[in-house]
Amino acid sequence: MFSTNTVARTSTALRNPRRRQRTASGGSDPVEKVTKRLKRSGLTAETFKPISTNAANGHLYSDDAGPTANGHVRDAGHPNDAEEDQTSSAVKRRGSRKPDRERRGYKGDGSVELTKNDTYAVTRLTTTPLQLQQHRSSEIWRGEIAAGIGYAVATTKRQALVWRYRQDAHATDSSKPLVIRLLHTTEDSDQFLPLGILVPSSPEPGLLIVMPVSGKVTYWESLSSAASMDLGRQKQQAINGIVTGLAYGEHISSIIEAEPQGFLLTVSSGKVVHLTIADFQGRASINTQMLRSNSAQANGIFGSLRNVFGGGGWLKDLAAVKAGSSTQRGQRHCVIGTTKGLLQLWDLNWNGAHSLRYEVDAKPKLLDSIRDTGTFPRDSTNQYFKVLDFAFLPAVVTGQEVTSLTSKSATRLLILTVMSSPKESRYNLHVLDIVNETIEILVVHSITCYTNPVSEESSSTPQLLVPEPGQTAYIISERSVVLVSLEEIEESPSSQLQTEARRVPDPFQDVIDFHKNKGYRVVGCAADIPEKGHRGSGCTIMVQGYGVIRVSVAPMEDGLTSRERITITAQTKLEQAVFYGSQQSLLDFSSRPEVQFMTEDVQDAALRISRSIMDSSSKYLSVAGPSMEQQLQRRANALDDLIKHVGKHYQRLDHATRWKLLWDAEKLAAAKAIWRACEAAPKRIPKGERILLDEIVECISEEEKVENQPEHHETDAVRHWLVHDVWRLETLIPWTSGGVTLLYNESVEDRRPMSLAYRARLISEANDVQLMAMETAYKFRQSNVSLYGFDEDTMVEGLLDHGYTGMPEIWTSTALICDAVQNLAVYFQNFAIDVENNTDDQGSGPSAELFEKIALENARLVDLSCKTHLERSRWLQASNDPRIQKQGQDLEQESSISRRDLLKGLVDIGQYSSAIDLGEKYKDLEALAEVLESEIRSSQEDLEACSASHEATKEIRAKIAICERYVDNYFEKYGTAWADAFFTRFVDQGRISSLLVHGPKQRQYLTSFLRAHPELSSFSWINEVNVENDYAAAAEDLQLAQKQAGSVWAKKMQLSMGKLAIVTALSKQQEEDEKARTRIQDIDKSMEVLAAQDQLLQALRPTLRKALNDTSAKTELLMETYGKRFVKAKPALRKALEQNFVNVVEEKVLDTEDLVDTISLLDEDTLDPRSDFALSRFLTALRLVRLCIFEIGEIARKELLDKIIWRRCIIQDDWPKINRTELKDDAKVEEETRTTALFKTLREGFKSGFWDDNPPLAPSALLAAGATIDSLRTSSRYKNLPDSALAGIARDLEIEDKALETCIEEGRLDQWWTGIVEAAKLSARNEADRVGEERSKRAAREQEFREEMERVDKAAWGVGGDAVETDGMGGEMGMGMDEEGDVVMGM
């Protein structure tokens, strides 16, 4: 029975009513006093040692009385009364017992699992009538279950349904429910439904119906009588009666079995009625009597109960009434408990007699025990205490003897209490003994997994069941079932410490919830009676709107301690939700607020479950099956249920976990696609040949797959891989391309040439596997990104734009997969070339249809390759490790290059439009430019090869027009970015001149492009002049171009044209005067540097004429001539001089400083001493340094160069020898001094006035210049060179410095210096005077000659004559004087 106040009760077996009642055997008094035991901890092994005498519910019983649990006797008939088999045919139909191995968990009754874990299982019994399964809000049911006989009854206002809910494994029938009309109906509220209970009897059960308001009672001794279709016969066979003593407004709440031949009825006001169904002679009759105290009990320790159970009052707060065991034949005791903790023990007799034995108030002890647990609320203002239910503990517990009796006279109860508040309730289970009207609390189990307020249970309070063997308590409310383990926690040092600290771990607990929004409610429940040898426990529950379910708790596994069974793990909860949540509508697997798991535990559990689904190791999945597609779909559904449940109830999963879960789901979706491709493959290959996937799976190493076992008849490698190794899909993909290559190489090695048709078939199958797997994975990722908790806006086609930081390596873009996809794409593009070059006419090539299929698929492969490389490069660059970031950057550049090659390959195989589409998709403008430029150029070449009248010209022109249309559209679409890519392609191809002939749409982009690339200034100036008409910009371009010019001639030309452009810009007012003059001066300086290089070349030309017309030969000859002495033993300077000679020979522009080095390193004695170059080469070098300053702008650099030049100038001559003046006259000494390079340089400088602004440096100021690395570092020229390179230069300059020291010390150069300078200055002045005097004389002679000629003319022609002498060609005959003063005609 399931009511607002009490629980449903289990049916018990009546003895044969026609047997004479036995007398009591003199059993011990049930309330005999026992010695109180002191306990250190709640439960110990010694406390619950098994006793030899059978007992139940806290009372002894003899062999003629069955053990009881939850206040009910056993349902089977009394053993001593069973002289003959009187079992009804309805019971016999359950079938004979099967071995335990075949009867596990009542699996043989056709039940369906609703959920299961290592501890318990919930099953649905399929025998439930449809009327009860189909929830109708207009009709409410009330249920009662007779677990002993496997029958159940459900009542409504007007009828009762009786059916056998339990079927054995080989039962041949499924009994239809009996629909029984009720003789007495009620129109009262649905809250007062008729009470029905089955009465076990022979040959079939009887039925007892009690009307709750009127008190009318109907009893049929058999179901067949009750279900008679003949109303008259039904009434005739019914035994009727009435419950007397009901007051107005009272109704009967519940009915409890109290055998023999009796029942207990509870009344809403708190009364308890004893109802019997047989008279003194054993004849069926209805007799009722209210339980009242008598005078014999009035003198007990509790005093008179006249005010409680008399006519003036009764217990109004009744919690539960439970029938206990029998102490003698025909007699039974029961316990009545109130919500306030008052317990009464009554003795009942089959003839209706009753007596109150004692009454005890358990509330104080119960409250104290709650306080001891530490769960008692500090603020009890809004808290109230209540006893909800209690149960007798069974006598014997299999495995752990937790609830054995302490003595023959003790009654052991398990009481369910609650401390309630408006928001939550705290439940506790108390194990207590009642001994001689005293209470001893043994153990308190706090219920931590369930805190629903009692007020939420709208129509009933929670009920307590403890099925045998008493290891588990079931707390059943209207929409949930709480399981609490009662097994003893083994003692250990740690448990002792925890006990003393009041921190004993809670026993195993869990809650089974029903969906609250679907109208399900429990209408009846009963504890199951275990079969012999079955160690587990269970209960059967009737759920309106769904049917009958069974909750069974498995026995604890051997070797497993109760401490190890204490908690429910996150994995267990997730597995139940995943594998059972979507398969039924009753159970709600939502997380409860009372049970919270650490986020790390949930993450680990989710990943373990996901892996178990991927490798099919989960015990909830079937491995074998006829349909691979269905097996994969079931696993995919499980992964979908996993993420939905986790996402709804555990939203704090980190990104890495969610990514891993998503990737597992992707792989399974890809596996389904692979299987579809695998199934389609045999249709396209000759019969008997193996598909490529078979070969690939066999090639995978044993470390990367689970080997199938032929000895266990596992012969299908592909199916076996899909079942066990899908989680390693990233190892299969690389084998698709590798497998094709491997098979081809093996055929070559075996000298079995593979036909092109066979290779095409292998490529096609490899394409199918790669494309189906990878494309499906990316599509799945894109479709489910929000389901896994990621922002949908961050992903395009399964590819993240950003957010790779901290992400594990992505399986779709491992290094091996990136290479595999690209290799397969390239393999076919190369294969297409083999097909094109195939000259075999025997049909060895692939069919056109197959080739077209592979060609189309190649575009998808290229797309896939671009995607995987892009994904991997982004992931690498998101790393915090700079080395990995560099790898990502390198991969991005490499993939960009390879993408262009792949797109070009697509064009080659006829997939031109696909190449364009992919270029646009990945915005690879460089690739688009390459494709279009190549296509336009090749088409133009084809057009040139065709004759003007050829028909193909029209098609080629149309193709060119399409390409040009693409180009123009990209200018509008991408603008400058496209211009840079398109024009750069022309530059790379050396076709920059073609850009100058452009269309109008390209004009502005071309100008911007050229101006943005200074390296193209040699062409940009042409565009500025021809298109932009901007001569100032052209001059700037030419100025830049001359700096990049490689040859002297080109630089001269660009400088000259630049000067011309400046002059033109000035005339067109495109340039300011001051700026123009400055730029012209810069050009003049550059021209002067070039003039110096020309002067050097002219000085070397006599030697060059002697050499072969070969750069190396000329260079070698120059070194032998001019680099033999001064750079000897100076390897660094010698090498520099040799390289400069190469550039001079090839007429390349020398850097100004390189030109200075070349001029100053030549051997002095090899030059023509009369040449201007020999006289002024060091002065030229110093002039070049001044010209160089306007470019480099560094004083330190200029000073170092000056010192090096002066030093080289000085050490060209042997000054110690010059200093030895003994036996020399002044003329000799003066002659030797005049021939030195120093004197010549000083004299030329004075002659030109160079020293006016740049005075010469004294020898001592030149010491140590550049002789050390630190000294060289002062110049920016050597700033970025490594020390190893500078060391050689410094050594060579140190040699020069030592030579200078010799000149200063031994040649007394410091003392000679002033005299040499004065002598050079005097020589220059004398030279200037001489030249001036000669010029004056020449001018006088010219004037004298002109006057003489005028006089002669006048004499010959007369004054005013107009005859003029001509040269015979119409021109005047001119005369003049040369430098020597001679007259020259015709000038």
Side-chain angles (χ1 to χ4, degrees), residues 628-668:
M628 191 72 246
E629 179 77 19
Q630 293 179 4
Q631 203 267 357
L632 291 171
Q633 185 60 50
R634 283 194 297 270
R635 291 156 66 189
N637 292 341
L639 290 179
D640 186 63
D641 292 339
L642 173 62
I643 190 57
K644 287 180 179 177
H645 182 79
V646 171
K648 181 178 180 181
H649 301 287
Y650 308 97
Q651 300 178 359
R652 293 179 295 176
L653 299 185
D654 60 28
H655 279 213
T657 300
R658 285 186 276 129
W659 274 118
K660 291 176 182 178
L661 294 176
L662 174 57
W663 294 338
D664 282 348
E666 292 171 6
K667 292 177 182 179
L668 206 49

Coordinates of all heavy atoms in Angstrom, one line a residue, residues 628-668:
M628 N 27.5 -3.1 -39.0 CA 28.6 -2.2 -38.6 C 28.1 -0.7 -38.5 O 28.5 0.0 -37.6 CB 29.8 -2.3 -39.6 CG 31.1 -1.6 -39.1 SD 31.8 -2.5 -37.8 CE 31.7 -1.4 -36.4
E629 N 27.2 -0.4 -39.4 CA 26.7 1.0 -39.4 C 25.9 1.3 -38.1 O 26.1 2.3 -37.5 CB 25.8 1.1 -40.6 CG 25.1 2.5 -40.7 CD 26.0 3.6 -41.3 OE1 27.0 3.2 -41.9 OE2 25.7 4.8 -41.1
Q630 N 25.1 0.3 -37.7 CA 24.4 0.5 -36.5 C 25.3 0.5 -35.3 O 25.0 1.3 -34.3 CB 23.3 -0.6 -36.4 CG 22.2 -0.6 -37.4 CD 21.2 -1.7 -37.3 OE1 21.3 -2.5 -36.3 NE2 20.3 -1.8 -38.2
Q631 N 26.3 -0.3 -35.3 CA 27.2 -0.3 -34.1 C 27.9 1.0 -34.0 O 28.0 1.6 -32.9 CB 28.2 -1.4 -34.3 CG 28.9 -1.9 -33.0 CD 30.2 -1.2 -32.7 OE1 30.6 -0.4 -33.4 NE2 30.7 -1.5 -31.5
L632 N 28.3 1.6 -35.1 CA 29.0 2.9 -35.1 C 28.0 4.0 -34.7 O 28.3 4.9 -34.0 CB 29.6 3.2 -36.5 CG 30.8 2.4 -36.9 CD1 31.1 2.6 -38.3 CD2 32.0 2.7 -36.0
Q633 N 26.7 3.8 -35.2 CA 25.7 4.8 -34.8 C 25.4 4.8 -33.3 O 25.2 5.9 -32.7 CB 24.5 4.6 -35.6 CG 23.4 5.7 -35.5 CD 23.9 7.1 -35.9 OE1 24.5 7.2 -36.9 NE2 23.8 8.1 -35.0
R634 N 25.3 3.6 -32.7 CA 25.1 3.6 -31.3 C 26.2 4.2 -30.5 O 25.9 5.0 -29.5 CB 25.0 2.1 -30.9 CG 23.6 1.4 -31.2 CD 23.4 0.1 -30.5 NE 24.4 -0.8 -30.8 CZ 24.3 -1.7 -31.8 NH1 23.2 -1.7 -32.6 NH2 25.3 -2.6 -32.1
R635 N 27.4 4.0 -30.9 CA 28.5 4.7 -30.3 C 28.5 6.2 -30.5 O 28.8 7.0 -29.5 CB 29.8 4.1 -30.8 CG 30.0 2.6 -30.3 CD 31.0 1.9 -31.2 NE 32.4 2.4 -31.2 CZ 33.3 2.0 -32.0 NH1 33.1 1.1 -33.0 NH2 34.5 2.6 -31.9
A636 N 28.1 6.6 -31.7 CA 28.0 8.0 -31.9 C 26.9 8.7 -31.1 O 27.1 9.8 -30.5 CB 27.7 8.3 -33.4
N637 N 25.8 7.9 -30.9 CA 24.7 8.4 -30.1 C 25.2 8.6 -28.6 O 24.8 9.5 -27.9 CB 23.5 7.5 -30.2 CG 22.9 7.5 -31.6 OD1 23.1 8.5 -32.3 ND2 22.1 6.5 -31.9
A638 N 26.0 7.6 -28.2 CA 26.5 7.6 -26.8 C 27.4 8.9 -26.6 O 27.3 9.6 -25.6 CB 27.2 6.4 -26.5
L639 N 28.2 9.2 -27.6 CA 29.1 10.4 -27.4 C 28.2 11.6 -27.5 O 28.5 12.6 -26.8 CB 30.1 10.4 -28.6 CG 31.2 9.4 -28.5 CD1 32.1 9.5 -29.7 CD2 32.0 9.5 -27.2
D640 N 27.2 11.6 -28.3 CA 26.3 12.8 -28.3 C 25.6 13.0 -27.0 O 25.5 14.1 -26.5 CB 25.3 12.6 -29.4 CG 24.4 13.8 -29.6 OD1 25.0 14.9 -30.0 OD2 23.2 13.8 -29.5
D641 N 25.1 11.9 -26.4 CA 24.4 11.9 -25.1 C 25.4 12.4 -24.0 O 25.1 13.1 -23.1 CB 23.9 10.6 -24.7 CG 22.7 10.2 -25.6 OD1 22.1 11.1 -26.2 OD2 22.4 9.0 -25.7
L642 N 26.7 12.0 -24.1 CA 27.7 12.4 -23.2 C 27.9 13.9 -23.1 O 27.9 14.5 -22.1 CB 29.0 11.6 -23.5 CG 30.2 12.1 -22.6 CD1 30.0 11.8 -21.2 CD2 31.5 11.4 -23.1
I643 N 28.1 14.5 -24.3 CA 28.4 15.9 -24.3 C 27.1 16.7 -23.9 O 27.2 17.8 -23.3 CB 28.9 16.4 -25.7 CG1 29.5 17.8 -25.6 CG2 27.9 16.2 -26.8 CD1 30.5 18.0 -24.5
K644 N 26.0 16.2 -24.3 CA 24.7 16.9 -23.9 C 24.6 16.9 -22.4 O 24.2 17.9 -21.8 CB 23.5 16.3 -24.7 CG 23.5 16.6 -26.1 CD 22.3 16.0 -26.8 CE 22.2 16.3 -28.3 NZ 21.1 15.7 -29.0
H645 N 24.8 15.8 -21.8 CA 24.6 15.7 -20.4 C 25.7 16.5 -19.7 O 25.4 17.3 -18.7 CB 24.7 14.2 -20.0 CG 24.4 14.0 -18.5 ND1 23.2 14.1 -17.9 CD2 25.3 13.8 -17.5 CE1 23.3 13.9 -16.6 NE2 24.6 13.7 -16.3
V646 N 26.9 16.3 -20.1 CA 28.0 17.1 -19.4 C 27.8 18.6 -19.7 O 28.0 19.4 -18.7 CB 29.4 16.6 -20.0 CG1 30.5 17.5 -19.5 CG2 29.6 15.2 -19.5
G647 N 27.5 19.0 -20.9 CA 27.3 20.4 -21.1 C 26.1 21.0 -20.4 O 26.2 22.2 -20.0
K648 N 25.1 20.2 -20.1 CA 24.0 20.7 -19.3 C 24.2 20.8 -17.8 O 23.8 21.8 -17.2 CB 22.7 19.9 -19.6 CG 21.5 20.3 -18.9 CD 20.3 19.5 -19.3 CE 19.0 19.9 -18.6 NZ 17.8 19.1 -19.0
H649 N 24.9 19.8 -17.3 CA 25.0 19.7 -15.8 C 26.4 20.0 -15.3 O 26.6 20.2 -14.1 CB 24.6 18.3 -15.4 CG 23.2 18.0 -15.8 ND1 22.1 18.5 -15.1 CD2 22.7 17.1 -16.7 CE1 21.0 18.0 -15.7 NE2 21.3 17.2 -16.6
Y650 N 27.4 20.0 -16.2 CA 28.8 20.3 -15.7 C 29.4 21.2 -16.7 O 30.2 20.8 -17.6 CB 29.6 19.0 -15.7 CG 28.9 17.9 -14.8 CD1 28.2 16.9 -15.5 CD2 29.1 17.8 -13.5 CE1 27.6 15.9 -14.7 CE2 28.5 16.9 -12.7 CZ 27.7 15.9 -13.3 OH 27.1 14.9 -12.6
Q651 N 29.1 22.5 -16.6 CA 29.5 23.4 -17.6 C 30.9 24.0 -17.4 O 31.3 24.8 -18.2 CB 28.5 24.6 -17.6 CG 27.1 24.2 -17.9 CD 26.1 25.3 -17.9 OE1 26.5 26.5 -17.6 NE2 24.8 25.0 -18.1
R652 N 31.6 23.6 -16.4 CA 32.9 24.1 -16.1 C 34.0 23.3 -16.7 O 35.2 23.4 -16.3 CB 33.1 24.3 -14.6 CG 32.1 25.3 -14.0 CD 32.3 25.4 -12.5 NE 32.0 24.2 -11.8 CZ 32.1 24.0 -10.5 NH1 32.6 24.9 -9.8 NH2 31.7 22.8 -10.0
L653 N 33.8 22.5 -17.7 CA 34.9 21.7 -18.3 C 35.8 22.7 -19.0 O 35.4 23.6 -19.6 CB 34.3 20.7 -19.3 CG 33.4 19.6 -18.7 CD1 33.0 18.7 -19.8 CD2 34.0 18.9 -17.5
D654 N 37.1 22.4 -18.9 CA 38.1 23.2 -19.6 C 38.1 23.0 -21.1 O 37.5 22.0 -21.6 CB 39.5 23.0 -19.0 CG 40.0 21.6 -19.1 OD1 39.6 20.9 -20.1 OD2 40.8 21.2 -18.3
H655 N 38.7 23.9 -21.8 CA 38.7 23.8 -23.2 C 39.4 22.5 -23.7 O 38.9 21.9 -24.7 CB 39.4 25.1 -23.8 CG 38.6 26.3 -23.9 ND1 38.7 27.2 -24.8 CD2 37.6 26.7 -23.0 CE1 37.8 28.2 -24.6 NE2 37.1 27.9 -23.5
A656 N 40.5 22.1 -23.1 CA 41.2 21.0 -23.6 C 40.3 19.7 -23.5 O 40.3 18.9 -24.5 CB 42.4 20.7 -22.8
T657 N 39.5 19.6 -22.5 CA 38.6 18.4 -22.3 C 37.6 18.5 -23.4 O 37.2 17.5 -24.0 CB 38.0 18.4 -20.9 OG1 39.1 18.3 -19.9 CG2 37.1 17.2 -20.8
R658 N 37.0 19.6 -23.6 CA 35.9 19.7 -24.6 C 36.4 19.5 -26.0 O 35.7 18.9 -26.8 CB 35.2 21.1 -24.5 CG 34.3 21.2 -23.2 CD 33.5 22.5 -23.2 NE 34.3 23.6 -22.6 CZ 34.5 24.7 -23.1 NH1 33.9 25.0 -24.3 NH2 35.2 25.7 -22.5
W659 N 37.6 19.9 -26.2 CA 38.2 19.7 -27.6 C 38.4 18.2 -27.7 O 38.1 17.6 -28.8 CB 39.5 20.4 -27.7 CG 39.4 21.8 -28.2 CD1 39.7 22.9 -27.6 CD2 38.8 22.2 -29.5 NE1 39.4 24.0 -28.3 CE2 38.8 23.6 -29.5 CE3 38.2 21.5 -30.5 CZ2 38.4 24.4 -30.6 CZ3 37.8 22.3 -31.6 CH2 37.8 23.7 -31.6
K660 N 38.9 17.5 -26.7 CA 39.2 16.0 -26.9 C 37.9 15.3 -27.0 O 37.8 14.3 -27.8 CB 39.9 15.5 -25.6 CG 41.3 16.0 -25.5 CD 42.0 15.6 -24.2 CE 43.4 16.2 -24.1 NZ 44.0 15.8 -22.8
L661 N 36.8 15.7 -26.3 CA 35.5 15.0 -26.5 C 35.0 15.3 -27.9 O 34.4 14.4 -28.6 CB 34.5 15.6 -25.5 CG 34.8 15.2 -24.0 CD1 33.8 15.9 -23.1 CD2 34.8 13.7 -23.8
L662 N 35.1 16.5 -28.4 CA 34.7 16.8 -29.8 C 35.5 16.0 -30.8 O 34.9 15.5 -31.8 CB 34.8 18.3 -30.0 CG 34.6 18.8 -31.5 CD1 33.2 18.4 -31.9 CD2 34.8 20.3 -31.6
W663 N 36.8 15.9 -30.6 CA 37.6 15.1 -31.6 C 37.2 13.7 -31.6 O 37.2 13.0 -32.6 CB 39.1 15.3 -31.2 CG 39.5 16.7 -31.4 CD1 39.0 17.7 -32.2 CD2 40.7 17.4 -30.8 NE1 39.7 18.9 -32.1 CE2 40.7 18.7 -31.3 CE3 41.6 16.9 -29.9 CZ2 41.7 19.6 -30.9 CZ3 42.6 17.8 -29.5 CH2 42.6 19.2 -30.0
D664 N 36.9 13.1 -30.4 CA 36.4 11.7 -30.4 C 35.2 11.6 -31.3 O 35.0 10.6 -32.0 CB 36.2 11.2 -29.0 CG 37.5 10.9 -28.3 OD1 38.5 10.8 -29.0 OD2 37.5 10.7 -27.1
A665 N 34.2 12.5 -31.1 CA 33.0 12.4 -31.8 C 33.3 12.6 -33.3 O 32.6 12.0 -34.2 CB 32.0 13.5 -31.3
E666 N 34.2 13.5 -33.7 CA 34.6 13.7 -35.1 C 35.1 12.4 -35.7 O 34.7 12.0 -36.8 CB 35.6 14.7 -35.2 CG 35.2 16.1 -34.8 CD 36.4 17.1 -34.8 OE1 37.5 16.7 -35.1 OE2 36.2 18.2 -34.4
K667 N 35.9 11.7 -34.9 CA 36.5 10.5 -35.4 C 35.5 9.4 -35.7 O 35.5 8.7 -36.6 CB 37.6 10.0 -34.5 CG 38.8 10.8 -34.4 CD 39.8 10.3 -33.3 CE 41.0 11.2 -33.2 NZ 42.0 10.7 -32.2
L668 N 34.5 9.3 -34.8 CA 33.5 8.3 -34.9 C 32.6 8.7 -36.1 O 32.2 7.8 -36.9 CB 32.6 8.2 -33.7 CG 31.9 6.9 -33.4 CD1 32.9 5.7 -33.6 CD2 31.3 6.9 -32.0

